[in-house]
Amino acid sequence: MLYEGDFRTPAGRFALVAARFNAFVVDPLLAGARDALARHGVPDDRVDVIRVPGSFEIPLVAQRLAESRNYAAVICLGCIIRGETDHYDHVAGAATHGILNAGLKSGVPVIYGVLTCETLEQAIHRAGAKAGNKGFEAAVTAIETVNLLAKLA
Ligand code: INI
């Protein structure tokens, strides 16, 4: 037997946790994620947007939302750009591990739509310019994972 997620309209609500830091990149990711959900038949009234200060704050909030059992999936959106200090490594590492742990702890798909980039140009390319929109991709991944888990239940 092969089990695979599909892209049919899933049941349930979706949470989008989006950082305000680097909002000019995160806002297009958010728009991309909303667009992907709408195109897959998830109406706007089943989508909640939760803004947090920065990517470092995403895991705590994502975990709280996932553990509430109110959401089929939690989609995390942020943008971390390497600067001149090692701050990037700490924020990126904490956000990445925290988002992974929120999913593992809750059993609810918590999707990683956080850009970790060397330059602002790379980030812009991944937020709808040359390299697609990672927010759109994160929402499609959420739908596939929700539908896969439903099949495995
Ligand atoms: N937060 C980001 O989302 N992206 C960044 O690039 C970033 N940098 O570079 O500092 C960033 N920092 C803020 C951090 O997420 C927290 O909000 C802050 O440290 C307070 O906890």
Side-chain angles (χ1 to χ4, degrees):
M1 244 332 242
L2 169 69
Y3 293 96
E4 226 175 353
D6 55 50
F7 301 96
R8 279 184 281 215
T9 305
R13 303 185 65 77
F14 285 76
L16 299 169
V17 183
R20 273 199 313 274
F21 204 103
N22 288 330
F24 60 99
V25 175
V26 178
D27 287 351
L29 297 178
L30 188 56
R34 297 185 80 132
D35 185 36
L37 292 172
R39 284 173 190 267
H40 288 80
V42 180
D44 223 38
D45 62 4
R46 281 209 273 129
V47 180
D48 291 329
V49 177
I50 299 95
R51 294 309 290 243
V52 296
S55 297
F56 193 82
E57 283 70 43
I58 291 175
L60 172 69
V61 175
Q63 187 167 321
R64 176 75 60 90
L65 295 167
E67 287 178 340
S68 75
R69 322 311 294 180
N70 288 335
Y71 297 99
V74 178
I75 300 164
C76 301
L77 304 170
C79 172
I80 310 165
I81 301 172
R82 190 182 288 281
E84 283 165 9
T85 68
D86 62 2
H87 198 67
Y88 167 95
D89 298 295
H90 296 302
V91 174
T96 304
H97 288 117
I99 290 168
L100 171 66
N101 281 333
L104 294 177
K105 230 181 142 219
S106 64
V108 170
V110 179
I111 306 299
Y112 183 65
V114 177
L115 300 179
T116 54
C117 297
E118 294 295 318
T119 65
L120 177 59
E121 194 185 18
Q122 284 176 356
I124 290 167
H125 285 172
R126 285 161 180 72
K130 281 189 192 163
N133 183 312
K134 298 297 171 194
F136 189 102
E137 288 175 25
V140 173
T141 299
I143 290 167
E144 182 177 351
T145 308
V146 167
N147 288 341
L148 173 61
L149 292 184
K151 285 183 187 177
L152 296 177

